[in-house]
Amino acid sequence: MSTRSLAIRVPVLARVEGEGALDLVIEGGAITDLKLRIYEPPRFFEKLLEGRPAHELPDAVARICGICPIAYQMSACLAAEQAFGCDAGPGVGALRRLFYCGEWIASHSLHLHLLAAPDYFGARSVVELAETHPAEVRRGLGLQELGNRLMRLLGARAVHPVGACLGGFHRAPGAIEAATLREDLLAALPDAQALMAWVAGWGMPQRRQDFESVALDEPGTYPFMARRLVSDRGMDIDIGMFEQEFAESQVPHSTALHCLHRGKPYLVGPLARMNLFAARLPEALHTFAAARFPSSNVFDSALARAIEIHYAMLEAARLLVPENATGPRAEVTPRAGTGIGASEAPRGTLWHRYEFDAAGLITHARIVPPTSQNQARIEQDLRASLTALGLDRPESELRAHAEQVIRNYDPCISCATHFLDLRLIRSA
Amino acid sequence: MNTTRILCIGSPYGADRLGWEAGRRLGEMIAPGSAEVEFLDRPGMALIARMRGAARVILLDALRGSQPGVPFRLSGEQVARALACHDSTHGFGIAEALALAAKLGELSDVELIGLCCATDEPSVDEIEVLCAAVLDATFSSQSLRTCTRPSCEP
């Protein structure tokens, strides 16, 4: 075994919503220090919400993330509606699911093609990848645009959409626009099928690891929004019990909190969902998924994303029917209370809790995003994956693999790792 | 495929609204059917889809680093070079979208009109002056016909 000492510092993972860096120290052939540093200044979003009226929530929290604003809007609306004793009803529920399908399709397509795929084909970016795989890149952009169109249908725009409100939506989708989009989704299903086959053929690193998969359990269907949170280790709780099961803590090297389940790292996101609920996919997709899932190889997250794109397109086509274009909004009357909401962002479970006073003003807010929940798991994965790769490998290879591991979890962090500025200190 | 499409990039806020403001005025001035005007908010790679099918694309965008009040115009590879150093969310900005469009053979005849003002919160007068200059710059070089309605005279 190599006994070399190596310190790899990745000081800037820049231009992202979750800015971060990676510090890695190898001494005597073993990793002695590994820190995924999220150093972006805290934005104090929860504090900014205090004193604001409840009806501002959907537009305010959409600003937290440019990639998954709908997840923030849905979790917030569900929490506020619980506090105010409002049941938005099945019609709004269907529209919300439709809205969410758009975000999954767009976010997953972006991640797979623009972020992840270059790793598997020796390209530094999607622009380079387009030289060798133009058809696949073009197909990916087309799928992403379908997702964007779904978001615009209900949200008026794809980035930070403004169509959602407490109780539902400001307006129902237009019938002609909805019918056109439905036809386009169905026509693009062969593209989604081809994407699954393409991703299944990527040379995924084989990194079997031991981790707990956690996701919401929406009765009888693949989950978007639900009140129960389950895991493949037997956890089954109401989301109101989240704070009793999960604990966030500050670590010195990150401004993002680490969230642990009973003291241990765990996984949220597409792989966790697929590990738990592949059997709830439509038969053809389930048959395809059953060959790989459940999986203990975190790199199978990419295939899970591809399958979820296909599923979200089928689901959106199912929901884009005239009967879902009526009654887009339930009445909401603010009152004092506490509400908790959760939904499955593309990157994983997103949990919100709000307290309101009698005037409906927010007095306390708490948001636990998937990035926080996956952070400890990413560090655990990095240790295992780099060790499995071989710590005596060239530093460039170690760095590239570390980037690939990080990128596999989270589009925001993944973006950052495309801009690594490596500083290496080598000692005898 | 003979379409000229004017893509206005920005938001309703601060200096970032220059592209939209100029586009709105331009939309009122041009003759119906001579060009399409669209307003985009951080389009990212979706810019490629927005350009698709147009023979000529004019991008209107607020940019830093040039003389305030004087729009500058770039075309061809100048556009990508000028934008290459600009930061963008997640690294998927206009420059990257144009580079990818070029690689995929989907790059139209693109022209960029950059708008720069002195402050991050330009006054209405400052915006008016800049937009008027954009109209001059656009009409002087393009085959866009001005609307013949008296109320639309530049």
Side-chain angles (χ1 to χ4, degrees):
Chain A
M1 175 185 287
S2 165
T3 56
R4 72 170 176 170
S5 296
L6 193 66
I8 295 177
R9 285 183 184 169
V10 183
V12 180
L13 309 179
R15 292 195 274 175
V16 293
E17 288 162 318
E19 292 178 2
L22 177 64
D23 289 350
L24 173 65
V25 178
I26 300 168
E27 292 177 319
I31 294 174
T32 56
D33 191 27
L34 187 150
K35 296 188 182 79
L36 177 63
R37 290 192 291 112
I38 306 294
Y39 58 79
E40 177 182 352
R43 294 188 292 172
F44 304 113
F45 248 103
E46 287 133 315
K47 207 67 184 170
L48 287 170
L49 291 170
E50 289 182 10
R52 309 303 306 177
H55 69 81
E56 290 186 3
L57 255 180
D59 291 332
V61 298
R63 293 282 167 170
I64 294 175
C65 181
I67 296 174
C68 52
I70 291 170
Y72 281 91
Q73 291 182 314
M74 296 302 99
S75 290
C77 286
L78 291 167
E81 288 160 15
Q82 189 203 26
F84 301 152
C86 168
D87 179 359
V92 168
L95 289 179
R96 284 178 170 165
R97 194 173 176 87
L98 174 64
F99 200 28
Y100 228 130
C101 285
E103 183 160 281
W104 277 19
I105 295 166
S107 177
H108 284 349
S109 297
L110 182 153
H111 178 83
L112 285 175
H113 297 89
L114 276 60
L115 304 177
D119 283 335
Y120 295 91
F121 296 94
R124 287 176 300 180
S125 69
V126 67
V127 177
E128 272 193 21
L129 182 67
E131 288 182 15
T132 54
H133 294 76
E136 287 83 357
V137 171
R138 195 175 285 114
R139 181 181 66 208
L141 292 175
L143 291 170
Q144 186 181 343
E145 176 59 13
L146 277 174
N148 288 337
R149 284 174 60 191
L150 268 172
M151 288 194 277
R152 287 198 293 271
L153 182 73
L154 282 154
R157 61 187 188 191
V159 179
H160 305 316
V162 293
C165 60
L166 297 187
F169 293 89
H170 291 294
R171 73 172 183 90
I176 295 173
E177 198 180 358
T180 304
L181 187 44
R182 184 174 189 276
E183 285 177 16
D184 292 347
L185 281 164
L186 293 173
L189 285 176
D191 284 349
Q193 190 83 33
L195 173 64
M196 291 195 312
W198 186 51
V199 175
W202 289 0
M204 311 277 190
Q206 295 301 308
R207 301 274 180 265
R208 305 287 161 191
Q209 295 175 12
D210 185 36
F211 56 85
E212 181 181 24
S213 294
V214 173
L216 292 169
D217 182 356
E218 188 170 355
T221 188
Y222 203 79
F224 282 87
M225 293 160 278
R227 296 218 49 94
R228 293 210 73 79
L229 190 63
V230 301
S231 85
D232 58 0
R233 303 278 166 90
M235 181 191 68
D236 185 353
I237 61 168
D238 185 273
I239 56 172
M241 295 294 293
F242 183 89
E243 289 167 303
Q244 280 72 53
E245 285 280 328
F246 297 83
E248 285 185 305
S249 61
Q250 186 78 59
V251 292
H253 57 273
S254 176
T255 56
L257 301 174
H258 274 210
C259 191
L260 301 175
H261 179 215
R262 295 188 176 273
K264 292 184 178 176
Y266 61 102
L267 178 76
V268 296
L271 178 59
R273 290 191 290 261
M274 197 61 63
N275 280 345
L276 285 159
F277 300 117
R280 294 185 186 174
L281 294 168
E283 189 176 350
L285 287 181
H286 178 220
T287 302
F288 182 88
R292 281 280 264 276
F293 301 98
S295 171
S296 59
N297 180 9
V298 184
F299 283 101
D300 280 336
S301 296
L303 185 58
R305 285 188 184 93
I307 296 170
E308 285 191 343
I309 287 172
H310 195 300
Y311 172 68
M313 290 170 64
L314 285 172
E315 191 67 353
R318 182 183 71 81
L319 294 166
L320 274 169
V321 291
E323 47 266 41
N324 285 332
T326 57
R329 186 177 182 180
E331 284 300 314
V332 177
T333 306
R335 67 183 189 193
T338 299
I340 294 169
S343 65
E344 285 293 330
R347 282 170 280 161
T349 312
L350 172 60
W351 185 91
H352 288 214
R353 179 183 185 279
Y354 299 98
E355 293 173 21
F356 302 93
D357 66 14
L361 300 179
I362 298 163
T363 58
H364 185 261
R366 186 176 173 209
I367 296 171
V368 182
T371 300
S372 164
Q373 298 181 69
N374 275 339
Q375 253 195 123
R377 173 86 267 279
I378 295 171
E379 290 188 352
Q380 190 183 48
D381 188 346
L382 281 164
R383 284 179 181 273
S385 287
L386 292 173
T387 301
L389 178 73
L391 297 178
D392 54 352
R393 295 294 184 104
E395 61 199 58
S396 60
E397 202 174 325
L398 287 169
R399 182 188 63 178
H401 196 60
E403 289 179 32
Q404 192 176 17
V405 168
I406 296 168
R407 195 171 291 135
N408 185 48
Y409 281 82
D410 182 291
C412 297
I413 298 293
S414 302
C415 286
T417 55
H418 276 276
F419 308 106
L420 289 178
D421 179 13
L422 177 67
R423 284 178 57 207
L424 176 66
I425 302 169
R426 190 190 293 273
S427 58
Chain B
M1 192 63 190
N2 293 322
T3 307
T4 293
R5 192 168 295 152
I6 301 169
L7 300 178
C8 313
I9 297 162
S11 72
Y13 307 110
D16 196 37
R17 71 181 190 273
L18 291 174
W20 282 17
E21 291 288 346
R24 187 172 58 78
R25 286 161 174 75
L26 203 54
E28 292 169 353
M29 306 294 289
I30 60 178
S34 62
E36 299 170 355
V37 182
E38 289 188 27
F39 300 87
L40 308 178
D41 176 0
R42 290 155 292 187
M45 292 299 178
L47 182 70
I48 298 171
R50 301 276 77 76
M51 294 192 298
R52 191 170 295 141
R56 169 180 284 166
V57 172
I58 300 172
L59 302 173
L60 292 180
D61 197 4
L63 295 173
R64 296 178 192 276
S66 68
Q67 186 180 348
V70 181
F72 64 92
R73 193 165 69 230
L74 302 170
S75 59
E77 293 189 354
Q78 291 177 314
V79 178
R81 277 204 299 274
L83 293 174
C85 60
H86 281 258
D87 287 347
S88 60
T89 305
H90 301 281
F92 300 130
I94 306 299
E96 291 79 9
L98 293 176
L100 184 55
K103 201 66 77 176
L104 294 173
E106 295 202 29
L107 190 60
S108 313
D109 178 8
V110 176
E111 188 172 347
L112 170 74
I113 297 183
L115 310 167
C116 183
C117 57
T119 67
D120 287 340
E121 288 295 337
S123 67
V124 173
D125 288 346
E126 197 176 358
I127 290 175
E128 289 296 338
V129 169
L130 195 50
C131 288
V134 169
L135 297 183
D136 288 343
T138 307
F139 286 133
S140 68
S141 68
Q142 306 296 326
S143 58
L144 303 175
R145 290 166 286 116
T146 53
C147 182
T148 53
R149 288 174 294 181
S151 60
C152 292
E153 288 299 320

